[in-house]
Amino acid sequence: MQRTNLRILTETPSLANHFVAELRDVSVQRDSLRFRRNLERLGELLAYEISKTLPYTQQTITTPLAETKTMLLTEQPVLATILRAGLPLYQGMLNYFDKAYSTFVGAYRVEEEHTELVINMEYLASTDLHDKILILADPMLATGRSLMKAYEGMLRHGKPKQVHFAAVIASPEGIAYVQQQVPEALIWLGALDERLNERAYIVPGLGDAGDLAFGPKI
C-alpha cells in the first residue's frame, strides 16, 4: 500500500472523527436518519479537501460596490457513486460540487459462502467522461472489487484525465488492490481500518452501510 496518493481525514483531529465515530457506534446506528446525515457530512468534508487539488483560474466578479478578483474552478468534476449505499455520501459531495454532472452504477457483491467473491454490475447510467475529472464515491472500500468493477464499466464512456476515489472507511487490502489497478488515482478516506476478516468485511468497520442507511435487504 502506497501512502503518496492517499489522504485520510481522521489522521488529523477534526469533526471528521466525530462523524466517523457516530457511524461506527451501534447505539447511534439505530437512527438511520443520523447515519445518512453523517455519511452526507463526510461527503461534504471529502469534497472540500478534493476541491483543493482541482484547477482554478482567476476571474473578475462585480459586487454592489466594486469589481474584485477571485479564484474559481476551471471546470466541475463528474460525481459518480455505487447504488444504494453511496447515495448519502454522493449527496454530500453534490452539496459542494452543485453544478457537477453525475454517474450512477448498480454493483454489488454476491453473498455466498465457500465461493470466490463475485461482483455483479447490473446498471450504469453515465455522462461523458472523456478528459473529465472523475470523483467516484463509495462508503466502504473493502476488497476494492466493486469499486474497480464500477470504474472499468465507466471507461466505456470515456477516459477521465484525473481520477479520485472517495470512501468513508477502507481496508489496507482494498487500498493496495485499487492502487495496483489505478496507480494514478488519488484516494480520499474518512478512516483507514485494520484489516479484512474471513468474509471480506472491514474490521473494525461499521457493518453494512446500505442496510444502516436504508433498511435491511430481503
Side-chain angles (χ1 to χ4, degrees):
M1 182 179 66
Q2 300 295 322
R3 300 283 302 198
T4 54
N5 64 344
L6 185 61
R7 309 288 186 273
I8 306 171
L9 295 182
T10 53
E11 284 191 334
T12 302
S14 73
L15 285 174
N17 297 70
H18 287 263
F19 302 150
V20 172
E22 286 199 355
L23 287 171
R24 295 187 193 272
D25 191 329
V26 293
S27 63
V28 182
Q29 285 183 345
R30 299 188 187 98
D31 184 346
S32 59
L33 174 60
R34 189 155 189 87
F35 189 87
R36 292 193 301 272
R37 183 66 183 112
N38 282 324
L39 286 177
E40 186 176 343
R41 286 166 166 164
L42 284 161
E44 291 171 344
L45 293 181
L46 289 165
Y48 175 72
E49 292 300 321
I50 293 171
S51 76
K52 298 176 184 179
T53 71
L54 303 185
Y56 289 77
T57 56
Q58 187 179 75
Q59 298 186 35
T60 300
I61 61 172
T62 302
T63 80
L65 300 178
E67 288 188 343
T68 186
K69 296 185 184 300
T70 189
M71 301 298 290
L72 298 178
L73 278 174
T74 303
E75 61 181 293
Q76 289 281 325
V78 174
L79 301 180
T81 196
I82 300 175
L83 304 174
R84 63 181 169 153
L87 287 173
L89 185 64
Y90 154 84
Q91 183 60 56
M93 293 192 159
L94 188 62
N95 291 345
Y96 279 23
F97 294 116
D98 55 3
K99 297 178 182 178
Y101 285 178
S102 298
T103 289
F104 299 96
V105 180
Y108 59 94
R109 65 166 70 183
V110 178
E111 299 282 359
E112 294 182 3
E113 294 187 10
H114 311 300
T115 63
E116 184 178 349
L117 183 65
V118 175
I119 305 298
N120 280 354
M121 188 174 74
E122 297 181 350
Y123 177 81
L124 173 61
S126 181
T127 188
D128 176 29
L129 299 177
H130 176 68
D131 208 30
K132 301 294 176 60
I133 299 168
L134 173 66
I135 304 174
L136 175 52
D138 190 21
M140 307 298 286
L141 202 170
T143 66
R145 265 63 177 180
S146 294
L147 194 74
M148 286 299 95
K149 185 90 169 182
Y151 176 67
E152 289 163 6
M154 291 177 196
L155 292 179
R156 299 199 299 267
H157 299 274
K159 183 171 177 56
K161 65 180 177 183
Q162 192 178 125
V163 180
H164 301 263
F165 297 131
V168 171
I169 294 174
S171 72
E173 297 93 329
I175 293 297
Y177 178 74
V178 169
Q179 289 176 330
Q180 181 184 42
Q181 299 300 309
V182 192
E184 71 274 16
L186 284 174
I187 302 174
W188 305 82
L189 305 177
L192 179 62
D193 276 8
E194 298 171 8
R195 59 184 174 85
L196 292 177
N197 67 12
E198 64 280 357
R199 296 188 63 191
Y201 292 151
I202 303 172
V203 178
L206 54 76
D208 189 306
D211 286 358
L212 290 166
F214 300 109
K217 301 179 290 293
I218 59 171

